[in-house]
Amino acid sequence: MSDEANFTSMFQEHYEAVLRYAWRRVGPADAADVAADTFKVAWEKYDRVPKDQPLPWLYTTARNLTLNLIRRDNRRDAIADSLSEDLTRHGAEEDHAATLAARQAALAALNSLSDGDRELVLLMSWEGLDLRQAAAVVGCSRPTAAMRLHRIRRRLRHLLVEEPQPITDRQPSFGRSVI
C-alpha cells in the first residue's frame, strides 16, 4: 500500500476519536479545525507517525494544537459558564440539587489538578487510553504515569470527601474548566 492509502486508512479509522478529543477540550466551534490540523500535521510528518499505534501520536498532536488554541484565545468554557448562569437565574429543582452539587464537587476536584495531571486522567477516562498510551501523550514513562495516577486518585478521593467548593473557585491555568 502507498503512503497515501495508508494515511487515508489511518484517517478513516481515527478521525472521529481525534474529533471527540478536540471537542471535549475546545468545544464544537473549534473541534473540527483542531482535528483537521492534527491530520495535516500527521500528513506532513507521516514518516514519524507510529504505524502500529498512531492514536497516541495523534492525541499528542491534537493536545499541542489544543493548548496553543487555548493559550491564544484564553476563553472560558462556554458550556460551564452557561450552565452556571442558567442555574443561578432559574434556580434548580430540589431533586437536581444533589446531582448538581456532586457534579460541581467532582469538577472542582478535577480542576484543582495541575494541567498535566488532569490531562492524564482525561486521556484514560474520556479517551479510553491505557496507561502506556496516556503516558506517551503527556510525555512521561509508564511508571511515572502510574505513580502520578496513584497520587491523583488519592488526592481526588481526599478532595471529594471534604466540603465541595464551587467550580468557579479555581479555573485551570489555561483559562478553561473541564466538563
Side-chain angles (χ1 to χ4, degrees):
M1 262 175 120
S2 71
D3 278 352
E4 188 174 337
N6 287 333
F7 180 83
T8 300
S9 176
M10 177 186 71
F11 175 85
Q12 290 171 338
E13 183 177 349
H14 299 297
Y15 176 79
E16 287 185 28
V18 172
L19 181 63
R20 284 190 307 269
Y21 174 92
W23 187 88
R24 289 181 182 120
R25 281 144 183 89
V26 296
D30 295 315
D33 290 339
V34 169
D37 288 344
T38 298
F39 282 96
K40 178 183 176 228
V41 171
W43 176 250
E44 291 168 351
K45 299 180 180 186
Y46 189 65
D47 58 321
R48 295 192 217 165
V49 178
K51 306 306 183 257
D52 58 334
Q53 287 197 341
L55 193 55
W57 190 95
L58 292 169
Y59 280 152
T60 300
T61 303
R63 177 179 186 247
N64 292 337
L65 291 168
T66 298
L67 290 174
N68 287 340
L69 178 67
I70 291 168
R71 270 188 229 103
R72 185 177 65 236
D73 294 342
N74 196 21
R75 329 175 266 231
R76 298 264 188 235
D77 183 88
I79 296 171
D81 287 349
S82 151
L83 176 62
S84 176
E85 289 172 13
D86 286 348
L87 289 172
T88 302
R89 251 193 332 259
H90 302 295
E93 292 181 20
E94 193 65 36
D95 47 309
H96 292 310
T99 302
L100 179 61
R103 180 179 184 275
Q104 189 172 357
L107 289 173
L110 191 59
N111 283 334
S112 75
L113 299 175
S114 70
D115 294 343
D117 286 351
R118 184 174 40 260
E119 186 70 13
L120 182 62
V121 170
L122 295 177
L123 283 166
M124 294 182 69
S125 61
W126 281 0
E127 308 307 333
L129 295 184
D130 63 27
L131 187 60
R132 183 185 49 76
Q133 293 169 325
V137 173
V138 297
C140 67
S141 68
R142 186 195 173 287
T144 300
M147 179 55 72
R148 284 175 60 189
L149 189 60
H150 171 73
R151 290 177 181 157
I152 292 165
R153 287 178 176 155
R154 186 175 57 208
R155 180 162 186 224
L156 288 175
R157 273 192 297 273
H158 176 74
L159 288 171
L160 291 173
V161 170
E162 292 179 351
E163 184 177 325
Q165 297 175 316
I167 193 165
T168 56
D169 282 359
R170 175 166 187 306
Q171 293 295 323
S173 61
F174 50 77
R176 289 182 171 264
S177 61
V178 179
I179 57 167

